[in-house]
Amino acid sequence: DIKKQALQLQQFSLLKNDGARSTSLLRFHPYEPALVVCGSSDNVSIWNAETSERMTSFSNENPKGTRMTAAQWVNEATSSLLLTGSNDGSVRIFDGLLEANDEISREKPSLVSSFFAAPDIVTDKRYSSGLVLDYQQYGGKLTAGGNTKYIRTWDVASEKCVNTFESK
């Protein structure tokens, strides 16, 4: 039967994310063996997916009572920044996760930018979407929405809102 032959999955490894109450987000790097694992509050770990080794772990510095709801790689082909978003509307951008030789760094990354992409977001709902983000590589634009009345487009380099749309 062709269906049985087409899907042969095997477990490669089991990653134990010590220090995190639970895992809320996973993001593979598209070109390197890096896996971002975000905990339910503010713990971020970077794993080498080929060796199953945790390379570094750091705090997203979320305020108490908030959680990460978005994470994605930015500029994957060149500088590979990590962008995180939290349900309080804040966005943080980290650098230094990959070294110049494209190896995964063991050092804590540096925070290169942070801003409120959705300052009017509603955070009182426990199971709400929180902040939802989409980064467009071409043009360097970040679209932010979620548990808010507005969808905003940001120019990430200047940290300025360039468009606001009402969502209904």
Side-chain angles (χ1 to χ4, degrees), residues 17-20 37 39 42-47 54-60 97 105-109:
N17 202 22
D18 292 330
V37 178
D42 78 342
N43 183 24
V44 180
S45 297
I46 310 299
W47 292 78
R54 183 182 357 209
M55 304 303 286
T56 189
S57 187
F58 60 96
S59 172
N60 193 54
L97 295 162
S105 176
R106 293 185 176 275
E107 302 297 318
K108 181 180 174 183

Side-chain angles (χ1 to χ4, degrees), residues 8-128:
Q8 297 290 325
L9 300 176
Q10 292 182 337
Q11 179 176 317
F12 180 73
S13 65
L14 178 64
L15 308 177
K16 188 173 181 187
N17 202 22
D18 292 330
R21 289 187 318 208
S22 64
T23 298
S24 61
L25 298 166
L26 298 171
R27 292 292 178 264
F28 283 97
H29 191 283
Y31 306 117
E32 305 301 332
L35 171 64
V36 173
V37 178
C38 297
S40 60
S41 57
D42 78 342
N43 183 24
V44 180
S45 297
I46 310 299
W47 292 78
N48 184 322
E50 291 177 345
T51 65
S52 304
E53 180 181 6
R54 183 182 357 209
M55 304 303 286
T56 189
S57 187
F58 60 96
S59 172
N60 193 54
E61 303 297 333
N62 285 10
K64 186 174 178 148
T66 63
R67 60 189 171 88
M68 284 182 284
T69 58
Q72 62 186 101
W73 291 99
V74 176
N75 300 337
E76 303 97 324
T78 56
S79 59
S80 288
L81 306 172
L82 176 66
L83 185 142
T84 63
S86 300
N87 70 335
D88 64 350
S90 64
V91 169
R92 291 175 180 81
I93 302 174
F94 296 93
D95 191 12
L97 295 162
L98 296 179
E99 297 174 357
N101 62 358
D102 291 332
E103 293 291 321
I104 303 168
S105 176
R106 293 185 176 275
E107 302 297 318
K108 181 180 174 183
S110 58
L111 180 67
V112 295
S113 182
S114 65
F115 58 96
F116 280 96
D120 60 331
I121 199 164
V122 178
T123 59
D124 62 348
K125 296 180 181 175
R126 180 179 168 127
Y127 298 105
S128 68

